[in-house]
Amino acid sequence: MTETSANMPGVYVGLHDLIALEYRGRKVSFLPRQPVHSLLSGRFASRMRGRGLNFEEIRDYRPGDDVRSIDWKETARLRKPHIRVFNEERDRQTILVVDQRLSMFFGSRHAMKSVTAAEAAAIGAWRVLGAGDRVGAVVFNDRDFIEVRARRSRATVLQILAAVVTQNQALGVGRGLVSAPTMLNTALDHARRRAPHDAAVIIISDFDGADAATRDMVARAGAAQ
C-alpha cells in the first residue's frame, strides 16, 4: 500500500487492499439468468454438442452422428442404434470494464465511487479466476485506457489490479484532470470489439456521459451472450 492510500482509506485504494479481497471473491456468484440451454460459455451448459463431460441423454442414432458416441449396451438391448449425447463444457471469458474517471472521485463518508469500483473489480476478477475461467479488463480514466488481455492466471488478475490502482491513485482535485464523459463510450466500444460473442462483459461505472450510443452498445453486449 502506498503512503497516500494508507493515510486516506476510502479515498484511494492500494494494491494489497485489492489482493486482500480474494477471499470475498469466492463468495460471489455469477450464475446466469439464461435458461440452461442458452448459448453460453464457461461453467455453463451450451447448445454445442460433443464428447464433453456432462451427460445429457440417450437417443436413437441419426445419419451424421459420430459413431464413437454409440451406446452399445443400449443398442443391444433395444436392437436399434442409440447414442449418448453430451453438453460440452468450455470456459467463459469475462471482460471487466472499470471506470476511474474524475466523475468517480466522489462519494459518501464511507468511500469514493472510484474506490468502490476498484473493490468491485477486484472481487469480480478473483471470482472469475476462482471459477477457472479467463479474465481480462479495460480500465479507463478521462485520458486513456489500459487493456489487459483475458487469461486464466493469477498474474493476469494482479496486472488488472495494478492498472486499477495506478489510475485510482492518479485521481484528485487540483491535479489538472479534465472530465471527459465520452471516454465511457470509447472504453465500451473497445471492450465490445475485443470480447468474443459469448463473453461476459461486466461494466463497473457511474455511467456519467451515457447517451443513446452507450445504451446501444450495452444492449448489443447483452444480446450477444
Side-chain angles (χ1 to χ4, degrees), residues 90-118:
R90 300 182 306 165
D91 68 343
R92 185 180 191 180
Q93 178 174 320
T94 297
I95 303 296
L96 301 170
V97 182
V98 189
D99 192 345
Q100 291 291 300
R101 292 176 298 164
L102 191 59
S103 66
M104 299 286 285
F105 197 66
F106 176 83
S108 65
R109 294 170 60 184
H110 174 67
M112 294 290 194
K113 291 187 290 184
S114 52
V115 170
T116 301

mmCIF file of all heavy atoms in Angstrom, residues 90-118:
data_model
loop_
_atom_site.group_PDB
_atom_site.id
_atom_site.type_symbol
_atom_site.label_atom_id
_atom_site.label_comp_id
_atom_site.label_asym_id
_atom_site.label_seq_id
_atom_site.Cartn_x
_atom_site.Cartn_y
_atom_site.Cartn_z
ATOM 1 N N ARG A 90 -17.156 -25.559 -21.698
ATOM 2 C CA ARG A 90 -15.976 -24.765 -22.025
ATOM 3 C C ARG A 90 -15.850 -23.645 -21.000
ATOM 4 O O ARG A 90 -16.771 -23.341 -20.286
ATOM 5 C CB ARG A 90 -16.106 -24.144 -23.423
ATOM 6 C CG ARG A 90 -16.267 -25.151 -24.539
ATOM 7 C CD ARG A 90 -16.345 -24.441 -25.861
ATOM 8 N NE ARG A 90 -17.396 -23.431 -25.860
ATOM 9 C CZ ARG A 90 -17.490 -22.485 -26.772
ATOM 10 N NH1 ARG A 90 -16.595 -22.383 -27.718
ATOM 11 N NH2 ARG A 90 -18.490 -21.619 -26.741
ATOM 12 N N ASP A 91 -14.686 -23.028 -20.982
ATOM 13 C CA ASP A 91 -14.536 -21.909 -20.071
ATOM 14 C C ASP A 91 -15.158 -20.667 -20.675
ATOM 15 O O ASP A 91 -15.366 -20.571 -21.876
ATOM 16 C CB ASP A 91 -13.058 -21.669 -19.723
ATOM 17 C CG ASP A 91 -12.254 -21.181 -20.911
ATOM 18 O OD1 ASP A 91 -12.726 -21.327 -22.055
ATOM 19 O OD2 ASP A 91 -11.156 -20.662 -20.699
ATOM 20 N N ARG A 92 -15.489 -19.721 -19.810
ATOM 21 C CA ARG A 92 -16.114 -18.496 -20.264
ATOM 22 C C ARG A 92 -15.192 -17.317 -20.016
ATOM 23 O O ARG A 92 -14.629 -17.187 -18.940
ATOM 24 C CB ARG A 92 -17.429 -18.262 -19.522
ATOM 25 C CG ARG A 92 -18.206 -17.054 -20.035
ATOM 26 C CD ARG A 92 -19.499 -16.877 -19.261
ATOM 27 N NE ARG A 92 -20.351 -15.889 -19.905
ATOM 28 C CZ ARG A 92 -21.539 -15.538 -19.451
ATOM 29 N NH1 ARG A 92 -22.015 -16.088 -18.362
ATOM 30 N NH2 ARG A 92 -22.258 -14.629 -20.077
ATOM 31 N N GLN A 93 -15.032 -16.501 -21.010
ATOM 32 C CA GLN A 93 -14.172 -15.331 -20.869
ATOM 33 C C GLN A 93 -14.971 -14.172 -20.300
ATOM 34 O O GLN A 93 -16.101 -13.912 -20.707
ATOM 35 C CB GLN A 93 -13.583 -14.951 -22.224
ATOM 36 C CG GLN A 93 -12.696 -13.711 -22.195
ATOM 37 C CD GLN A 93 -12.022 -13.465 -23.519
ATOM 38 O OE1 GLN A 93 -11.581 -14.397 -24.187
ATOM 39 N NE2 GLN A 93 -11.936 -12.216 -23.922
ATOM 40 N N THR A 94 -14.390 -13.454 -19.347
ATOM 41 C CA THR A 94 -15.034 -12.287 -18.747
ATOM 42 C C THR A 94 -14.150 -11.066 -18.941
ATOM 43 O O THR A 94 -12.942 -11.114 -18.702
ATOM 44 C CB THR A 94 -15.286 -12.504 -17.243
ATOM 45 O OG1 THR A 94 -16.196 -13.596 -17.073
ATOM 46 C CG2 THR A 94 -15.889 -11.260 -16.604
ATOM 47 N N ILE A 95 -14.770 -9.967 -19.380
ATOM 48 C CA ILE A 95 -14.070 -8.695 -19.540
ATOM 49 C C ILE A 95 -14.655 -7.704 -18.539
ATOM 50 O O ILE A 95 -15.862 -7.440 -18.545
ATOM 51 C CB ILE A 95 -14.226 -8.126 -20.963
ATOM 52 C CG1 ILE A 95 -13.724 -9.138 -22.013
ATOM 53 C CG2 ILE A 95 -13.475 -6.795 -21.087
ATOM 54 C CD1 ILE A 95 -12.259 -9.443 -21.925
ATOM 55 N N LEU A 96 -13.804 -7.164 -17.665
ATOM 56 C CA LEU A 96 -14.216 -6.133 -16.722
ATOM 57 C C LEU A 96 -13.949 -4.763 -17.339
ATOM 58 O O LEU A 96 -12.845 -4.504 -17.832
ATOM 59 C CB LEU A 96 -13.435 -6.262 -15.420
ATOM 60 C CG LEU A 96 -13.554 -7.591 -14.665
ATOM 61 C CD1 LEU A 96 -12.531 -7.637 -13.534
ATOM 62 C CD2 LEU A 96 -14.957 -7.774 -14.121
ATOM 63 N N VAL A 97 -14.949 -3.898 -17.336
ATOM 64 C CA VAL A 97 -14.773 -2.519 -17.802
ATOM 65 C C VAL A 97 -14.864 -1.634 -16.561
ATOM 66 O O VAL A 97 -15.936 -1.491 -15.972
ATOM 67 C CB VAL A 97 -15.847 -2.134 -18.836
ATOM 68 C CG1 VAL A 97 -15.609 -0.712 -19.338
ATOM 69 C CG2 VAL A 97 -15.842 -3.118 -20.003
ATOM 70 N N VAL A 98 -13.734 -1.072 -16.155
ATOM 71 C CA VAL A 98 -13.635 -0.398 -14.855
ATOM 72 C C VAL A 98 -13.418 1.096 -15.037
ATOM 73 O O VAL A 98 -12.418 1.533 -15.616
ATOM 74 C CB VAL A 98 -12.486 -0.991 -14.016
ATOM 75 C CG1 VAL A 98 -12.536 -0.447 -12.593
ATOM 76 C CG2 VAL A 98 -12.543 -2.519 -14.013
ATOM 77 N N ASP A 99 -14.341 1.884 -14.502
ATOM 78 C CA ASP A 99 -14.330 3.341 -14.628
ATOM 79 C C ASP A 99 -13.523 3.976 -13.491
ATOM 80 O O ASP A 99 -13.832 3.774 -12.316
ATOM 81 C CB ASP A 99 -15.779 3.841 -14.592
ATOM 82 C CG ASP A 99 -15.913 5.307 -14.996
ATOM 83 O OD1 ASP A 99 -14.887 6.018 -15.033
ATOM 84 O OD2 ASP A 99 -17.056 5.740 -15.253
ATOM 85 N N GLN A 100 -12.494 4.749 -13.852
ATOM 86 C CA GLN A 100 -11.722 5.512 -12.877
ATOM 87 C C GLN A 100 -11.571 6.961 -13.349
ATOM 88 O O GLN A 100 -10.524 7.589 -13.195
ATOM 89 C CB GLN A 100 -10.350 4.865 -12.665
ATOM 90 C CG GLN A 100 -10.396 3.534 -11.946
ATOM 91 C CD GLN A 100 -10.798 3.677 -10.482
ATOM 92 O OE1 GLN A 100 -10.136 4.350 -9.694
ATOM 93 N NE2 GLN A 100 -11.919 3.041 -10.103
ATOM 94 N N ARG A 101 -12.669 7.500 -13.864
ATOM 95 C CA ARG A 101 -12.673 8.894 -14.312
ATOM 96 C C ARG A 101 -12.870 9.847 -13.136
ATOM 97 O O ARG A 101 -13.211 9.445 -12.020
ATOM 98 C CB ARG A 101 -13.781 9.110 -15.354
ATOM 99 C CG ARG A 101 -13.541 8.403 -16.680
ATOM 100 C CD ARG A 101 -14.709 8.595 -17.612
ATOM 101 N NE ARG A 101 -15.930 8.020 -17.038
ATOM 102 C CZ ARG A 101 -17.154 8.297 -17.469
ATOM 103 N NH1 ARG A 101 -17.344 9.165 -18.453
ATOM 104 N NH2 ARG A 101 -18.206 7.727 -16.905
ATOM 105 N N LEU A 102 -12.708 11.128 -13.407
ATOM 106 C CA LEU A 102 -12.851 12.145 -12.375
ATOM 107 C C LEU A 102 -14.260 12.152 -11.782
ATOM 108 O O LEU A 102 -14.434 12.459 -10.603
ATOM 109 C CB LEU A 102 -12.518 13.526 -12.959
ATOM 110 C CG LEU A 102 -12.358 14.676 -11.967
ATOM 111 C CD1 LEU A 102 -11.256 14.375 -10.954
ATOM 112 C CD2 LEU A 102 -12.060 15.978 -12.715
ATOM 113 N N SER A 103 -15.261 11.792 -12.581
ATOM 114 C CA SER A 103 -16.636 11.740 -12.080
ATOM 115 C C SER A 103 -16.808 10.703 -10.982
ATOM 116 O O SER A 103 -17.743 10.780 -10.171
ATOM 117 C CB SER A 103 -17.616 11.440 -13.225
ATOM 118 O OG SER A 103 -17.399 10.128 -13.737
ATOM 119 N N MET A 104 -15.896 9.733 -10.934
ATOM 120 C CA MET A 104 -15.947 8.692 -9.913
ATOM 121 C C MET A 104 -15.272 9.129 -8.611
ATOM 122 O O MET A 104 -15.377 8.438 -7.596
ATOM 123 C CB MET A 104 -15.264 7.423 -10.424
ATOM 124 C CG MET A 104 -15.893 6.818 -11.666
ATOM 125 S SD MET A 104 -17.465 5.995 -11.315
ATOM 126 C CE MET A 104 -16.889 4.501 -10.509
ATOM 127 N N PHE A 105 -14.576 10.262 -8.652
ATOM 128 C CA PHE A 105 -13.883 10.760 -7.456
ATOM 129 C C PHE A 105 -14.856 11.574 -6.601
ATOM 130 O O PHE A 105 -14.699 12.777 -6.379
ATOM 131 C CB PHE A 105 -12.672 11.603 -7.862
ATOM 132 C CG PHE A 105 -11.679 11.824 -6.744
ATOM 133 C CD1 PHE A 105 -10.967 10.764 -6.212
ATOM 134 C CD2 PHE A 105 -11.454 13.092 -6.232
ATOM 135 C CE1 PHE A 105 -10.050 10.957 -5.180
ATOM 136 C CE2 PHE A 105 -10.544 13.299 -5.209
ATOM 137 C CZ PHE A 105 -9.851 12.229 -4.679
ATOM 138 N N PHE A 106 -15.850 10.886 -6.152
ATOM 139 C CA PHE A 106 -16.924 11.493 -5.365
ATOM 140 C C PHE A 106 -17.607 10.355 -4.621
ATOM 141 O O PHE A 106 -17.693 9.238 -5.124
ATOM 142 C CB PHE A 106 -17.928 12.205 -6.280
ATOM 143 C CG PHE A 106 -19.122 12.770 -5.559
ATOM 144 C CD1 PHE A 106 -19.060 13.992 -4.933
ATOM 145 C CD2 PHE A 106 -20.303 12.039 -5.486
ATOM 146 C CE1 PHE A 106 -20.160 14.502 -4.250
ATOM 147 C CE2 PHE A 106 -21.410 12.531 -4.811
ATOM 148 C CZ PHE A 106 -21.336 13.773 -4.191
ATOM 149 N N GLY A 107 -18.090 10.639 -3.424
ATOM 150 C CA GLY A 107 -18.766 9.566 -2.712
ATOM 151 C C GLY A 107 -19.293 9.980 -1.359
ATOM 152 O O GLY A 107 -19.365 11.159 -1.037
ATOM 153 N N SER A 108 -19.645 8.983 -0.595
ATOM 154 C CA SER A 108 -20.189 9.196 0.739
ATOM 155 C C SER A 108 -19.051 9.258 1.761
ATOM 156 O O SER A 108 -17.876 9.250 1.414
ATOM 157 C CB SER A 108 -21.134 8.051 1.095
ATOM 158 O OG SER A 108 -20.407 6.833 1.172
ATOM 159 N N ARG A 109 -19.391 9.265 3.029
ATOM 160 C CA ARG A 109 -18.384 9.264 4.080
ATOM 161 C C ARG A 109 -17.643 7.930 4.127
ATOM 162 O O ARG A 109 -16.552 7.841 4.677
ATOM 163 C CB ARG A 109 -19.057 9.526 5.438
ATOM 164 C CG ARG A 109 -19.647 10.923 5.546
ATOM 165 C CD ARG A 109 -20.499 11.061 6.799
ATOM 166 N NE ARG A 109 -19.722 10.829 8.018
ATOM 167 C CZ ARG A 109 -20.250 10.814 9.232
ATOM 168 N NH1 ARG A 109 -21.545 11.032 9.396
ATOM 169 N NH2 ARG A 109 -19.476 10.590 10.297
ATOM 170 N N HIS A 110 -18.237 6.912 3.529
ATOM 171 C CA HIS A 110 -17.608 5.590 3.559
ATOM 172 C C HIS A 110 -16.499 5.464 2.523
ATOM 173 O O HIS A 110 -15.375 5.055 2.852
ATOM 174 C CB HIS A 110 -18.661 4.506 3.317
ATOM 175 C CG HIS A 110 -18.084 3.133 3.191
ATOM 176 N ND1 HIS A 110 -17.470 2.480 4.244
ATOM 177 C CD2 HIS A 110 -18.004 2.283 2.114
ATOM 178 C CE1 HIS A 110 -17.047 1.305 3.849
ATOM 179 N NE2 HIS A 110 -17.342 1.162 2.555
ATOM 180 N N ALA A 111 -16.785 5.805 1.269
ATOM 181 C CA ALA A 111 -15.779 5.620 0.218
ATOM 182 C C ALA A 111 -16.167 6.366 -1.044
ATOM 183 O O ALA A 111 -17.353 6.609 -1.312
ATOM 184 C CB ALA A 111 -15.603 4.137 -0.098
ATOM 185 N N MET A 112 -15.154 6.717 -1.811
ATOM 186 C CA MET A 112 -15.358 7.301 -3.130
ATOM 187 C C MET A 112 -15.917 6.233 -4.071
ATOM 188 O O MET A 112 -15.660 5.030 -3.892
ATOM 189 C CB MET A 112 -14.039 7.825 -3.692
ATOM 190 C CG MET A 112 -13.446 8.997 -2.937
ATOM 191 S SD MET A 112 -14.435 10.501 -3.177
ATOM 192 C CE MET A 112 -13.299 11.735 -2.546
ATOM 193 N N LYS A 113 -16.656 6.694 -5.073
ATOM 194 C CA LYS A 113 -17.149 5.746 -6.073
ATOM 195 C C LYS A 113 -15.984 5.039 -6.771
ATOM 196 O O LYS A 113 -16.082 3.860 -7.113
ATOM 197 C CB LYS A 113 -18.007 6.472 -7.111
ATOM 198 C CG LYS A 113 -19.333 6.975 -6.593
ATOM 199 C CD LYS A 113 -20.201 7.522 -7.717
ATOM 200 C CE LYS A 113 -19.661 8.815 -8.268
ATOM 201 N NZ LYS A 113 -20.561 9.407 -9.299
ATOM 202 N N SER A 114 -14.894 5.742 -6.954
ATOM 203 C CA SER A 114 -13.722 5.149 -7.602
ATOM 204 C C SER A 114 -13.154 4.000 -6.784
ATOM 205 O O SER A 114 -12.699 2.994 -7.339
ATOM 206 C CB SER A 114 -12.648 6.224 -7.816
ATOM 207 O OG SER A 114 -12.381 6.915 -6.607
ATOM 208 N N VAL A 115 -13.182 4.124 -5.454
ATOM 209 C CA VAL A 115 -12.697 3.055 -4.581
ATOM 210 C C VAL A 115 -13.655 1.865 -4.612
ATOM 211 O O VAL A 115 -13.238 0.710 -4.696
ATOM 212 C CB VAL A 115 -12.519 3.568 -3.136
ATOM 213 C CG1 VAL A 115 -12.251 2.412 -2.172
ATOM 214 C CG2 VAL A 115 -11.386 4.585 -3.077
ATOM 215 N N THR A 116 -14.952 2.160 -4.551
ATOM 216 C CA THR A 116 -15.955 1.090 -4.612
ATOM 217 C C THR A 116 -15.842 0.328 -5.926
ATOM 218 O O THR A 116 -15.940 -0.903 -5.956
ATOM 219 C CB THR A 116 -17.367 1.669 -4.461
ATOM 220 O OG1 THR A 116 -17.465 2.349 -3.208
ATOM 221 C CG2 THR A 116 -18.422 0.583 -4.524
ATOM 222 N N ALA A 117 -15.612 1.060 -7.024
ATOM 223 C CA ALA A 117 -15.463 0.414 -8.331
ATOM 224 C C ALA A 117 -14.216 -0.465 -8.355
ATOM 225 O O ALA A 117 -14.232 -1.573 -8.906
ATOM 226 C CB ALA A 117 -15.386 1.471 -9.430
ATOM 227 N N ALA A 118 -13.130 0.024 -7.770
ATOM 228 C CA ALA A 118 -11.890 -0.750 -7.725
ATOM 229 C C ALA A 118 -12.088 -2.040 -6.933
ATOM 230 O O ALA A 118 -11.633 -3.117 -7.345
ATOM 231 C CB ALA A 118 -10.774 0.087 -7.109
#
